[in-house]
Amino acid sequence: MSTLPSALAQPTTSLSFVAIAIGTQNYTCSSAGTYTNVGAVASLFDISCLYNTFLFEGIPDLAIGIWKAAPPSLTPQQIISKLQLLSSPVVLGEHYYVPNPLTGQGVNPEWNFSSHGRFKGKADAYVVAAKVNNTVAPTGSRDIDWVSLKALTGKLAQEIYRTDTRLGQPPPSCNPGSPDITVKYASKYWLFGSSV
Ligand SMILES: *[C@@H]1O[C@H](CO)[C@@H](O)[C@H](O)[C@H]1NC(C)=O
Ligand SMILES: *[C@@H]1O[C@H](CO)[C@@H](O)[C@H](O)[C@H]1NC(C)=O
Ligand SMILES: *[C@@H]1O[C@H](CO)[C@@H](O)[C@H](O)[C@H]1NC(C)=O
């Protein structure tokens, strides 16, 4: 069974959603010649039905393998369909970055489910969150950190975890002035304490 990393504080609210996500991490080249993360865009698919099955463990490797090899013409939903695990993949929503809703300074991650399924049209089915803590991925340095976050605004969750990450790390260096890059990744997202 996949569990949350013990290095991160455990959630205090109950599990509401667990998703597999495929998308990109975005990086900009700093004047120091290293990449800085400037956001991410991903689609989330419901994997609650795989929880407590052996497929739950394997899905991040399947997802990143297919996502890496996918022609650009395929949508994330078509790609997830290829997994054959989710006969009719249920799109939960989208993950992207928005300006900090409290300070207006910098960007924060958002998860927004208000365009799909039972949350369609529900304006409060989103959460914008801030990072609480992170820990290196146990699967190695090619995979982005596992992270815990807490909600700033929205009712979709109070606590969020990113685990089981695959890829998403930038190259170790860049030439200052070179264009922004996107790096494909997959991860699980766990949302706790929803009140929508
Ligand atoms: C990240 O990259 C994607 C794909 O190019 C783009 O659609 C998105 O707007 C970018 N987001 C940020 C915050 O840079
Ligand atoms: C959530 O997504 C919907 C549909 O794209 C959009 O209209 C709405 O503004 C988003 N909500 C937030 C809080 O970003
Ligand atoms: C953050 O995570 C580290 C391990 O990565 C842990 O030692 C530390 O206690 C955590 N801090 C909080 C505030 O959860």
Side-chain angles (χ1 to χ4, degrees), residues 93-180:
E94 286 79 40
H95 168 51
Y96 49 87
Y97 278 64
V98 293
N100 182 299
L102 304 183
T103 65
Q105 304 290 309
V107 290
N108 283 70
E110 173 172 336
W111 291 262
N112 184 335
F113 291 5
S114 70
S115 295
H116 305 278
R118 67 191 161 104
F119 298 119
K120 201 171 185 125
K122 283 205 84 172
D124 55 5
Y126 79 95
V127 59
V128 180
K131 184 160 88 175
V132 173
N133 208 351
N134 59 298
T135 187
V136 295
T139 41
S141 60
R142 292 182 347 138
D143 302 332
I144 51 175
D145 285 358
W146 292 19
V147 180
S148 61
L149 308 101
K150 66 172 188 335
L152 296 178
T153 57
K155 292 191 170 170
L156 189 63
Q158 294 175 50
E159 300 166 290
I160 300 123
Y161 291 77
R162 180 180 78 193
T163 72
D164 301 80
T165 51
R166 297 292 185 275
L167 303 181
Q169 295 280 23
S173 63
C174 55
N175 292 319
S178 60
D180 291 358

Side-chain angles (χ1 to χ4, degrees), residues 27 57 68 139:
Y27 296 95
E57 275 297 324
K68 262 196 321 185
T139 41

Side-chain angles (χ1 to χ4, degrees), residues 2 22 28 34 44 47 50-51 73 81 85 98 121 140 161 163 177 179 196:
S2 184
I22 57 174
T28 196
T34 54
L44 273 68
I47 52 170
L50 302 179
Y51 200 76
S73 57
S81 304
L85 299 175
V98 293
Y161 291 77
T163 72
V196 287

Side-chain angles (χ1 to χ4, degrees), residues 64-86:
I64 194 64
I66 292 166
W67 180 215
K68 262 196 321 185
S73 57
L74 283 187
T75 65
Q77 184 160 2
Q78 288 168 325
I79 291 162
I80 290 290
S81 304
K82 306 261 179 241
L83 291 175
Q84 306 279 322
L85 299 175
L86 305 168

